[in-house]
Every structure is written in C-alpha cells, then in structure tokens.
Amino acid sequence: MESKTRRIAGISLFVMGAGFVAMLPFQEYAAARLLAGAFEAGLVGGLADWFAVTALFRHPLGIPIPHTALLPRNREKMTQALVTIVQNNLLNKESLVDKLRELEVAERLMGAARKGLSSPRFKDTAKAWVLSLLSRPLDKAWGAALPQLSRFVRSRDWADGLLSVAGGEPAVRQATEKLLDLAVDKGTHWVVTDDARRMMGKLAITAIGGLKMNGLMQFAVNAALNYFDEDQIGSAIQLALVTKLREISLEGHPTRESILAYLKKEWDVHVQSPDNRDKWNAKLQELLGSWVESDKPLALLEELRAKLHDQVENGGLLEKRVFPFVEDTAEKLSRNDRLLGNVNSFLQDTTVRFLEANHSRIGGLVRENIEKMDNDTLIALVEDKAGKDLQWIRVNGAVCGFFLGLVFTTVRMLLA
C-alpha cells in the first residue's frame, strides 16, 4: 500500500513538472501563463514536501544537507521519547492498577469454567480421555513403581507413624477409657446372669471348703456353709461385683482412675521401649513389604481398573455422578460471594505487586527492542506504518500548490 501511495506521489510531481514545461512555449496566451504558474507552484509544493518527507528518514539525494536524516540523527531522543510515552502515558502504572482493581477476574473465570464444564464437547473429550487412561494395562506402570514403593515401605518407621496418627497421650487415654467402659459393660451383663451367680457361689464354697484352719474355726466355717447355699453366696458376690463395676464406670472415681493410671503405665512401658518399637516396626515393614511385593496389589488394581472402565463406558458414571457433581460444585462456587471476593483480591493484589515490581521494565523492553534494529530496519518500520500518510503529504503539497498557483498567477495577471 505504501509503494502504491509513493507512486501516486511521484506521478503528481511528474504531472506538475510536465505541465509546467508543456505550457512554456505558449506564454503569449493568458490561459497558458495561468496554467504555467499553477503547475510551477504545484511543482514547487511537491518538491518541497518531497524534501521534507525524505529529510525525516535520510539525506535527500544522498547529500548531507544540515537538518536532514532526522530519524537516524535523533534516534536516541526518539527512543527515549517513545519509552517515556509508552511507560508513563500509554501504560501508566496508576491507570493500570486502577483498571486491575476494577476487573472481576474470578467471576469471569468462573463463568468461563461453568460454560466449558457444561459443554458437550468438554464432556465427550473428558470421557474419551478417561476411557483411554483406563484402557491401559497397569503392569508396566506397577513394575516401574514397585522398586521405589517397596523401598519406601521397608524403610518407613511405621510404628512411629501409627503412634502419631493415634494422637498422643489424650488419644491413648480416650481409647483406654473406651476399652475400660466396654469391659465394664460386658462384665456387668455377665455378672448379673443366673449362671454367673451360681458359678461364683459354687467356686466360693469350694474355695472356702478347701481352706486349712484350726478345729474351732473349721467347725464354724462348716456350720456357716451348711446354713448358706451356693445361690445365696453367689448373690452376695454378684452384688459386690456389680457395685465395684459401677464404681469403675463413674467418671473421676478413685477406682476408675487407679485402673486407668495402671493401664497407661503399662502402655508407656511397652511404647517407650526402643526394643519393642523396633520389633513392631520390623514386623510391620516385613508384613507390608511382603504384601506390596506380592501379586495381590496389582490384581486388586487391575480389578478396580476394569470395574471403573465398565462403569465409565456403560454405567454412566461420569454422566450420572461426576459431571453433575462438578457442575453443581461450580454453581455453588459461583454463588459464593465471599470466595469470589477473596479470589479477586488475591489475583488483583498478586498482579498489582507484579506490575509494581516490573513496571519499570516496560520501558527497558521497548528500548531493547528498538536498539536491536539498525537504522535501515527502523526507517523501514516507520515508513511501513506511517509512509502512506507521509506520501499523501507530497500529493497534497502538489495539489495545493497547483490551486494556490492559480490564485497567485491570476492576481499577478490582473495587477500587471
């Protein structure tokens, strides 16, 4: 387009020159003198504007006339001016920050995400990708991961990990209390049964009868045993045991606290023992390592893969559960004003901090790109972008000069 405009400018200058020369032999005619003056003025205007346009980029006709080739001679000034305009005016930091503050990025991202997630194209693509993934056998992937997994299982301190998961002393006490309450509950239910009462009465009579005592004491005990039967003695023992079990079940009761303290002491002895923990850890490592290195994990994974593949392909797992869940979650998130506000604030603050930290680099980037170009390349770039308008200046100069020449020549002929 610029070369076409350049040709038009050249043609206009040629027309003005040719017209002026053509009118010179006919100066005895008024019309010829009038046109000669107009063509002369047009020629002068066209030449003057050609000189002005050419002087912006290079020396006219290669002659180093002063104040020409303005772009190469003032390249540094123009570069600095362009850097200043871009950095401080076109991309002013304050205006950019204000615009960023006004953007509702989270809402737009969520809207785009909801639209994309509900589109048939996304669902078809996601289903095809999942089916492709689930169609691949796991033996190669499992074989590649097995050495690392085995080393991990056989090197990890499982005993310490389990104790950490247990939650420390509060969790241990809570678990101990639950076990004690369970034992008390089960013991109470057994103690109050008729079979337990008779068994305890029989055991008590047998035990008392087997005691070795002196003659008078033995006579008294035998007399008492003849008076009380096993059911009565069992009932007394039963009542005593139920009473004691109820004491154990009461929160804060000394008997309960004494039992819990003993259990904790035993727990600490076993847990804090390095030998015991090393034995537990070694056993856990061996059990888990042997299981991982067996065929069972791969068989379970293959079975799970096959079931998932069937559910995705024929059972509508994605269509009935996954896609509706994802869309519902996206819908809920899009209505969560607090979440969207926090996301907006985070994105805006992050972007603003990045902009403030790197805004000065904008000018440096502009300068760096300009300095990469030599004078010829820079001139060609400017002429390519602004050459059309600059060449029209030449055309306008020739045309305006022609009409002004008509006016001036007419005035001169009237005054002559």
Side-chain angles (χ1 to χ4, degrees):
M1 181 62 71
E2 189 273 331
S3 60
K4 181 179 179 180
T5 310
R6 185 189 294 271
R7 286 196 299 271
I8 294 174
I11 292 172
S12 67
L13 188 61
F14 174 78
V15 170
M16 295 302 160
F20 173 69
V21 173
M23 292 297 108
L24 289 179
F26 306 101
Q27 292 300 300
E28 65 272 16
Y29 301 105
R33 291 196 302 272
L34 179 62
L35 288 175
F39 282 125
E40 181 182 10
L43 180 60
V44 172
L47 288 172
D49 286 339
W50 166 81
F51 183 89
V53 171
T54 304
L56 290 173
F57 305 106
R58 56 185 64 87
H59 296 299
L61 301 177
I63 303 173
I65 302 172
H67 305 294
T68 59
L70 300 180
L71 180 58
R73 291 177 60 240
N74 296 276
R75 174 168 177 156
E76 179 59 31
K77 292 181 181 179
M78 295 181 65
T79 300
Q80 183 58 43
L82 184 60
V83 169
T84 301
I85 290 173
V86 172
Q87 183 170 319
N88 298 332
N89 297 100
L90 299 180
L91 297 178
N92 179 267
K93 182 171 69 175
E94 287 72 20
S95 63
L96 288 176
V97 170
D98 292 339
K99 290 297 182 182
L100 287 173
R101 294 293 187 188
E102 295 174 1
L103 291 178
E104 295 179 344
V105 182
E107 287 80 355
R108 296 186 180 185
L109 291 177
M110 186 57 66
R114 288 178 57 197
K115 184 177 179 179
L117 291 173
S118 61
S119 66
R121 181 178 179 182
F122 167 78
K123 294 179 179 179
D124 293 340
T125 303
K127 183 174 181 178
W129 180 81
V130 172
L131 286 175
S132 175
L133 186 65
L134 293 175
S135 298
R136 303 173 186 174
L138 298 175
D139 51 351
K140 292 184 178 179
W142 178 255
L146 182 58
Q148 291 82 1
L149 183 60
S150 178
R151 283 196 296 270
F152 172 79
V153 169
R154 291 184 178 277
S155 62
R156 184 172 178 81
D157 189 350
W158 293 105
D160 186 66
L162 291 175
L163 292 175
S164 299
V165 172
E169 185 174 335
V172 171
R173 178 177 175 85
Q174 186 178 11
T176 306
E177 288 181 342
K178 288 183 178 180
L179 290 174
L180 181 60
D181 290 337
L182 178 64
V184 169
D185 182 66
K186 295 298 183 180
T188 303
H189 280 82
W190 179 80
V191 166
V192 298
T193 61
D194 293 337
D195 291 338
R197 182 180 66 252
R198 285 191 293 270
M199 184 184 72
M200 289 185 292
K202 184 181 296 186
L203 290 174
I205 291 176
T206 302
I208 295 173
L211 294 176
K212 293 182 179 181
M213 295 173 285
N214 57 36
L216 183 61
M217 181 62 69
Q218 186 69 47
F219 175 78
V221 169
N222 290 335
L225 291 176
N226 291 330
Y227 182 77
F228 297 103
D229 59 17
E230 64 183 29
D231 190 67
Q232 291 174 319
I233 296 176
S235 296
I237 297 174
Q238 189 179 57
L239 179 61
L241 288 176
V242 169
T243 301
K244 185 57 67 175
L245 289 172
R246 287 177 178 175
E247 291 178 356
I248 296 174
S249 65
L250 294 176
E251 189 71 29
H253 194 278
T255 303
R256 178 185 179 87
E257 294 300 321
S258 176
I259 295 174
L260 290 174
Y262 172 79
L263 294 176
K264 183 179 183 305
K265 181 180 178 181
E266 291 297 314
W267 168 265
D268 290 341
V269 169
H270 287 82
V271 169
Q272 298 302 330
S273 171
D275 293 338
N276 288 338
R277 296 183 67 164
D278 290 342
K279 291 179 182 178
W280 298 344
N281 193 54
K283 189 63 176 178
L284 289 171
Q285 288 177 347
E286 179 61 28
L287 289 174
L288 293 173
S290 299
W291 185 83
V292 167
E293 293 166 1
S294 68
D295 296 333
K296 294 181 180 179
L298 180 59
L300 290 175
L301 291 175
E302 287 288 359
E303 183 181 356
L304 177 61
R305 181 189 63 80
K307 289 182 179 179
L308 283 176
H309 187 280
D310 182 65
Q311 285 295 316
V312 171
E313 186 174 25
N314 304 315
L317 176 64
L318 297 180
E319 293 83 351
K320 295 178 182 179
R321 298 186 180 182
V322 177
F323 290 151
F325 172 77
V326 171
E327 293 177 14
D328 182 61
T329 302
E331 175 67 22
K332 291 179 180 178
L333 292 176
S334 66
R335 295 197 302 266
N336 191 330
D337 295 334
R338 181 178 180 182
L339 175 63
L340 294 177
N342 291 336
V343 173
N344 274 327
S345 298
F346 171 77
L347 294 176
Q348 290 169 359
D349 292 342
T350 302
T351 306
V352 168
R353 285 195 298 269
F354 177 81
L355 177 62
E356 290 177 342
N358 296 277
H359 184 261
S360 60
R361 298 184 180 180
I362 295 176
L365 181 62
V366 173
R367 178 182 293 279
E368 180 182 346
N369 288 330
I370 293 176
E371 290 177 349
K372 287 180 180 178
M373 297 182 288
D374 55 24
N375 286 340
D376 293 338
T377 305
L378 182 60
I379 290 172
L381 177 64
V382 176
E383 286 184 321
D384 179 64
K385 301 302 180 184
K388 178 181 177 181
D389 294 327
L390 293 175
Q391 296 304 322
W392 276 112
I393 291 176
R394 295 173 55 191
V395 177
N396 293 336
V399 174
C400 291
F402 178 81
F403 286 107
L404 289 175
L406 286 177
V407 174
F408 296 150
T409 304
T410 301
V411 172
R412 186 171 64 244
M413 290 176 63
L414 292 175
L415 296 177

